[in-house]
Amino acid sequence: MNDEFQSIEEARDGLGRVGYLADESTALVSFLAARLGKPVLVEGPAGVGKTELAKALSRATERRLIRLQCYEGLDEAKALYEWNYRKQLLRIQSEAADTGWQEVKEDIFGEDFLLSRPLLTAISVEEPAVLLIDEIDKTDQEFEAMLLEVLSDFQISIPELGVVEAHTRPLVLLTSNNSRELTEALKRRCLYLWLDYPTVERELSIVKLHAPDLDEQIARKLVEVIHMIRSLDLKKPPSIAESIDWGRALLLLGADDVDQSVLERTMSIIVKHRTDLDLVAERVGVKLADGLAGRQAG
Ligand SMILES: Nc1ncnc2c1ncn2[C@@H]1O[C@H](COP(=O)(O)OP(=O)(O)OP(=O)(O)O)[C@@H](O)[C@H]1O
Ligand SMILES: [Mg+2]
């Protein structure tokens, strides 16, 4: 296909074909991002498909995915480029003793001695890529400022080499779990997408997509239970990733219903805090024993 979506529908269908079920706003932003040439900031709770959206966009547009995983202390050397010191040293050692310094210097600060990191790679590749800057909230504000420069100019200046300008514009996605507030300057330059937990119907489709052999009734009940659990005041509510895992587990275990005993045996797949486990067992377990089962029968 073309490496850009022509309409919102095409974005939704394209993502759907590669296994990503997008809602209305996700399809809209995916369409606009490439058209407007703007980065997208994707925020939302853990496990709602932020990272997967970038991967799916890369598959759908057949663009290469270049990923920068952020962490505390990430610096320019790991994000932009660094010089290959070892290779430079070897080169210096192998030069004849009478070679002038100027000559050696020109040589060792050439492209052959440069290690390209994700940001430099994303702007210097020939074909437009998808650049995923994952978990930007883990870095500090200085890094964000540096990133702003790259994202607004699409060029990187290397003192020893000169300015590297983008051949093509990558489609840029930044994700954040909101562990710190991002700067207004960054937000201003981005389209914003808030990804939340999906509706029952959409989550059901996602679970069925990832566990196609799971019985329809069980899948529906599983998703309903997940939604019920999310409405409790938990430390860490189950995400889409956990719904999928639970579906696959129930399939493997050959469960023929999602009842109290199944929940109790498999609960640690969906909730992962001691206190959450207790709360779910108490509130949801009891409901499954009578409430939900009664409602389904009636
Ligand atoms: N809309 C969707 N369609 C299909 N699969 C989805 C969708 N949303 C999420 N998933 C699945 O849910 C799982 C979790 O998604 P992902 O890793 O992208 O979450 P995340 O938001 O990046 O989480 P975190 O904040 O923990 O990094 C993946 O296996 C992904 O395939
Ligand atoms: Mg992620």
Side-chain angles (χ1 to χ4, degrees):
M1 76 154 274
N2 193 311
D3 76 350
E4 227 173 66
F5 301 122
Q6 303 304 315
S7 66
I8 302 174
E9 290 69 43
E10 203 178 283
R12 197 189 35 234
D13 296 349
L15 287 169
R17 267 197 295 279
V18 297
Y20 192 90
L21 306 182
D23 62 8
E24 200 55 44
S25 51
T26 307
L28 174 80
V29 169
S30 303
F31 163 64
L32 287 179
R35 285 313 190 83
L36 297 175
K38 279 193 159 237
V40 182
L41 172 61
V42 191
E43 285 195 308
V48 290
K50 301 184 294 296
T51 304
E52 188 60 30
L53 174 60
K55 294 183 184 171
L57 279 170
S58 133
R59 294 196 297 270
T61 57
E62 290 174 7
R63 291 178 176 212
R64 172 177 166 194
L65 178 72
I66 298 169
R67 179 173 186 170
L68 175 64
Q69 181 63 48
C70 299
Y71 51 87
E72 216 183 306
L74 173 65
D75 60 7
E76 295 189 8
K78 289 285 173 281
L80 291 174
Y81 67 90
E82 65 186 323
W83 291 105
N84 189 341
Y85 298 119
R86 220 185 290 221
K87 200 170 164 191
Q88 286 177 323
L89 206 62
L90 278 173
R91 184 49 172 262
I92 294 170
Q93 282 171 345
S94 66
E95 289 290 347
D98 58 353
T99 316
W101 167 238
Q102 194 57 37
E103 213 173 301
V104 178
K105 198 173 104 183
E106 270 166 28
D107 191 22
I108 62 173
F109 288 108
E111 272 178 38
D112 284 352
F113 295 85
L114 196 67
L115 292 173
S116 179
R117 300 302 184 201
L119 295 181
L120 179 62
T121 307
I123 76 159
S124 52
V125 285
E126 296 291 333
E127 298 285 314
V130 172
L131 171 63
L132 165 62
I133 302 173
D134 212 8
E135 311 193 359
I136 174 75
D137 52 329
K138 300 259 170 71
T139 64
D140 52 28
Q141 293 212 355
E142 284 87 85
F143 185 87
E144 216 182 292
M146 184 279 294
L147 196 61
L148 272 178
E149 244 182 83
V150 177
L151 293 185
S152 48
D153 304 343
F154 282 93
Q155 61 176 37
I156 293 172
S157 154
I158 304 175
E160 300 86 348
L161 258 186
V163 176
V164 181
E165 279 183 58
H167 294 286
T168 52
R169 286 229 162 175
L171 178 60
V172 186
L173 265 89
L174 302 105
T175 79
S176 160
N177 268 343
N178 239 330
S179 71
R180 84 175 159 82
E181 188 72 31
L182 301 173
T183 62
E184 283 305 319
L186 181 80
K187 289 191 171 170
R188 205 167 51 234
R189 281 173 180 78
C190 296
L191 297 176
Y192 186 74
L193 176 64
W194 172 261
L195 276 188
D196 213 335
Y197 299 119
T199 59
V200 168
E201 291 311 318
R202 208 162 64 79
E203 187 154 5
L204 184 58
S205 311
I206 295 173
V207 168
K208 286 202 295 205
L209 188 74
H210 288 266
D213 296 332
L214 191 65
D215 175 79
E216 166 83 28
Q217 288 302 319
I218 296 184
R220 180 169 288 278
K221 194 158 171 196
L222 172 159
V223 172
E224 284 175 358
V225 170
I226 289 277
H227 278 242
M228 203 193 289
I229 295 175
R230 275 188 202 136
S231 70
L232 302 174
D233 188 20
L234 297 187
K235 255 198 180 130
K236 165 74 182 66
S239 68
I240 302 179
E242 269 110 14
S243 304
I244 295 171
D245 285 346
W246 202 23
R248 287 182 175 153
L250 294 187
L251 192 60
L252 279 174
L253 296 171
D256 51 16
D257 189 12
V258 188
D259 54 18
Q260 188 182 19
S261 91
V262 168
L263 176 71
E264 271 175 12
R265 278 192 293 140
T266 57
M267 206 161 45
S268 57
I269 299 168
I270 46 177
V271 274
K272 293 158 185 173
H273 281 281
R274 181 69 247 183
T275 48
D276 288 353
L277 285 167
D278 292 344
L279 195 66
V280 170
E282 186 189 322
R283 299 281 189 80
V284 182
V286 170
K287 256 194 201 158
L288 278 181
D290 43 51
L292 194 62
R295 191 171 62 78
Q296 293 239 320

